Amino acid sequence: MAEYLSRAMAFAQDAAKLSVRLSEGLVDNALEFGLDTPGSFYDNAEYKLGQVRTELNSGTEKEKLTAMKRLLACVAKGHDVSEYFADVVKNVATGSLEVRRLVYMYLLRYAEQEQDLALLSVNTFQRDVADTDAVIRAMALRVMSSIRVPAIGTIVVLAVRRLSTDASAHVRRTAAMAVPKLLRLDSALREELEEVVSGMLGEISPLAVGAVVRAFCAVSPQRLACVHTHFRRWCAQLGDADEWGQLELVRLLTAYARTQFAQPDSEGSSSSEQPGNVQLDPDHALLLGAVEPLLNSRNRAVVAGAAAAVCHLAPAAHLSVVARPLVRVMRSSREAAHVVLASILLVAQRRPSVFYPHVRSFFVAAADTPFVRRMKLNVLSELVAPETAPLMVREVAAYTQGSQEDVAVGAVSVLLRCAQHVQESTIDCLQSLLLLSSDVRAAVSAAAMRAVHILLVDGTVRDARPAQMTLYDMLCVVARTLDTCKGDVARAHVIS
């Protein structure tokens, strides 16, 4: 029986090897007859690397193209193929446009690692800057700006200056994106780059305007006076720019508006005031009208940036427009919640009523991280109101019985705030706090008795106690908890 099993296993192994050889043979034949598909280069690409060096040095463009596709397939799969850099650089001036594009893609990936070898091709890159193909011009500049050698900084600046007025918006965008790289490479180039960027501020293409604004913010972030001429055009382009361009525009226009327009009087605004009743400068209103549609963007960073702009520039009565988008972003991912909750807390401190309909979204979930739990409890503290207190007290009281000590301590703070600000909830909150006096967790019992102490001292309990119960009766109830208090701090609060 064992002999039959061993033969069967050997037969299965031979069949598997034969299948692999047949598939490799089919792929090779398909490549030979031009029947290859893009996915074929991902199959066993790393096992064919032994042939790549020979193919890169061959005389046929077809073999070079195959080799480059295999290399980029390995790069896409996470393999390090930088050892072939010298062989790839030799083909940077090849006559095949398709091969040259793939060579540039490879060089973009490894130019910073192999700077000495990349320098050998700088002359070729300079020629390609004047190529008739816009893609080649853009990629040549991208590779040149990725070579972090200060000696060629002046050469790259000349290329950027030349391509900053290119007929292709894609090339102009690449030229603008090269400016921050050059500034990090050599700060002495700032004056030349400022001159180049000043000429690019008149960009009319939505594809390139975001990169130009980013370059402007990197080179001369304090020269907000340059925005005067372009303010209205940039407001009009805000909806058509790409997502990251929108983010750069929103940041710059917000910084500009905060220095040029008067802050709306949020202190004098009542809860019933409508946004239309606040008189704004026409350009101020133009910016707000251009930013508000970005709150519906798919990009979470754009939504957060637009919400920040509205919070900084809009009247308090206008903040209701940011509530739903911020809650949507907060619930979209755990990572986004870390960032967005800080913005939500700032808005809630200024005008909490905009989040009253969304109070359930800030209830603590079991999968929340400690930071998110802490931020949610801080937001709930700001949302305490007669409209939300009944629901909030029941939910937060349950947190005090959970196993997470930090959540229980934070819940005590929320109960204290509910008791202080909503008289109808004071007795319920006091009862929940008194039950925590016997909690085995010293931090929780100490926080609860401290909250009870505060309620007794500031008169909150005296004002909210039932008519048939005197203040002496309340003190007697509190005194009875002395025997059940587990922590020394909690017992000290009862005695005091």
Side-chain angles (χ1 to χ4, degrees):
M1 185 67 179
E3 181 179 357
Y4 287 113
L5 289 176
S6 62
R7 288 182 179 180
M9 292 177 62
F11 179 78
Q13 292 176 355
D14 292 340
K17 292 180 181 178
L18 179 61
S19 176
V20 171
R21 290 179 180 177
L22 286 174
S23 62
E24 292 179 354
L26 288 173
V27 171
D28 291 339
N29 291 333
L31 293 175
E32 181 178 355
F33 291 102
L35 302 176
D36 58 291
T37 59
S40 64
F41 293 96
Y42 289 89
D43 300 330
N44 302 322
E46 56 271 23
Y47 300 111
K48 297 288 188 69
L49 290 179
Q51 308 172 20
V52 166
R53 187 168 275 112
T54 302
E55 292 174 339
L56 287 174
N57 295 313
S58 68
T60 63
E61 301 294 342
K62 186 176 182 179
E63 292 186 359
K64 292 179 180 180
L65 180 62
T66 301
M68 289 307 305
K69 287 183 177 180
R70 284 176 179 162
L71 284 177
L72 292 177
C74 290
V75 170
K77 295 171 73 173
H79 298 290
D80 183 12
V81 290
S82 58
E83 59 182 296
Y84 300 96
F85 193 90
D87 299 288
V88 173
V89 167
K90 296 176 184 177
N91 297 285
V92 73
T94 182
S96 172
L97 184 61
E98 189 173 3
V99 173
R100 199 189 308 179
R101 288 182 178 179
L102 298 181
V103 168
Y104 275 127
M105 291 180 187
Y106 177 92
L107 294 180
L108 284 173
R109 174 65 177 81
Y110 293 107
E112 290 193 16
Q113 299 181 23
E114 303 289 344
Q115 295 179 6
D116 295 336
L117 290 174
L119 283 174
L120 299 176
S121 303
V122 169
N123 291 334
T124 303
F125 300 149
Q126 288 182 276
R127 289 197 303 269
D128 286 346
V129 166
D131 195 274
T132 56
D133 191 332
V135 176
I136 295 297
R137 295 198 300 273
M139 295 187 73
L141 181 58
R142 286 183 64 188
V143 175
M144 288 178 65
S145 61
S146 299
I147 302 175
R148 300 187 58 80
V149 178
I152 67 169
T154 305
I155 298 176
V156 182
V157 170
L158 292 175
V160 170
R161 186 188 300 274
R162 177 176 182 175
L163 296 184
S164 64
T165 56
D166 194 272
S168 170
H170 174 63
V171 177
R172 297 196 300 272
R173 180 175 182 267
T174 304
M177 293 177 67
V179 170
K181 297 181 186 178
L182 289 171
L183 192 61
R184 290 193 297 267
L185 179 64
D186 187 359
S187 59
L189 300 173
R190 183 181 295 273
E191 292 186 4
E192 296 182 64
L193 294 175
E194 284 183 354
E195 182 182 350
V196 173
V197 173
S198 297
M200 300 180 69
L201 291 179
E203 178 62 54
I204 60 174
S205 172
L207 175 64
V209 67
V212 171
V213 169
R214 181 181 180 184
F216 173 77
C217 293
V219 174
S220 48
Q222 305 301 325
R223 296 174 56 196
L224 294 179
C226 298
V227 181
H228 293 324
T229 309
H230 314 285
F231 176 81
R232 293 180 180 176
R233 188 181 73 253
W234 284 347
C235 288
Q237 291 178 323
L238 198 53
D240 298 327
D242 62 278
E243 293 175 337
W244 298 112
Q246 290 173 342
L247 185 59
E248 296 293 341
L249 278 170
V250 167
R251 288 174 177 171
L252 177 61
L253 293 176
T254 301
Y256 171 80
R258 295 183 71 182
T259 63
Q260 302 297 320
F261 304 130
Q263 176 69 26
D265 184 14
S266 59
E267 300 298 330
S269 301
S270 63
S271 59
S272 61
E273 184 180 9
Q274 298 299 321
N277 296 334
V278 180
Q279 296 296 324
L280 298 176
D281 184 89
D283 287 338
H284 191 169
L286 175 66
L287 177 57
L288 285 176
V291 168
E292 285 183 17
L294 301 184
L295 294 171
N296 299 316
S297 173
R298 299 173 301 173
N299 189 299
R300 293 189 287 266
V302 174
V303 175
V310 172
C311 292
H312 285 305
L313 305 177
H318 204 81
L319 295 182
S320 58
V321 298
V322 306
R324 188 181 296 274
L326 287 178
V327 172
R328 171 175 61 85
V329 172
M330 181 196 71
R331 300 173 67 177
S332 63
S333 71
R334 184 180 303 177
E335 294 78 9
H338 283 71
V339 179
V340 175
L341 276 170
S343 301
I344 290 176
L345 181 59
L346 293 175
V347 179
Q349 290 172 346
R350 185 178 176 188
R351 196 170 186 85
S353 60
V354 302
F355 289 108
Y356 287 167
H358 310 282
V359 66
R360 292 179 181 272
S361 300
F362 304 107
F363 289 167
V364 177
D368 289 338
T369 62
F371 177 80
V372 171
R373 295 197 297 262
R374 187 163 59 251
M375 291 299 296
K376 282 186 173 181
L377 290 171
N378 291 339
V379 173
L380 288 176
S381 295
E382 298 295 335
L383 300 185
V384 171
E387 300 92 327
T388 60
L391 176 63
M392 194 181 297
V393 170
R394 291 194 302 270
E395 178 71 19
V396 174
Y399 296 160
T400 60
Q401 307 301 322
S403 59
Q404 297 169 331
E405 185 174 323
D406 61 329
V407 175
V409 173
V412 169
S413 300
V414 179
L415 289 175
L416 173 61
R417 191 173 177 88
C418 287
Q420 290 177 321
H421 291 78
V422 184
Q423 190 173 11
E424 294 80 3
S425 302
T426 300
I427 299 303
D428 292 337
C429 293
L430 181 63
Q431 292 175 350
S432 299
L433 293 172
L434 290 175
L435 291 175
L436 294 175
S437 62
S438 59
D439 197 291
V440 296
R441 298 166 293 184
V444 177
S445 61
M449 298 316 298
R450 176 179 175 274
V452 172
H453 174 77
I454 292 173
L455 293 176
L456 290 173
V457 171
D458 66 5
T460 302
V461 173
R462 181 182 65 249
D463 298 334
R465 61 183 171 82
Q468 65 274 17
M469 180 178 289
T470 65
L471 183 60
Y472 175 78
D473 296 332
M474 299 293 295
L475 292 175
C476 290
V477 172
V478 175
R480 294 191 193 101
T481 62
L482 187 62
D483 297 331
T484 59
C485 287
K486 302 298 182 182
D488 294 336
V489 178
R491 294 168 64 86
H493 281 304
V494 174
I495 296 174
S496 62

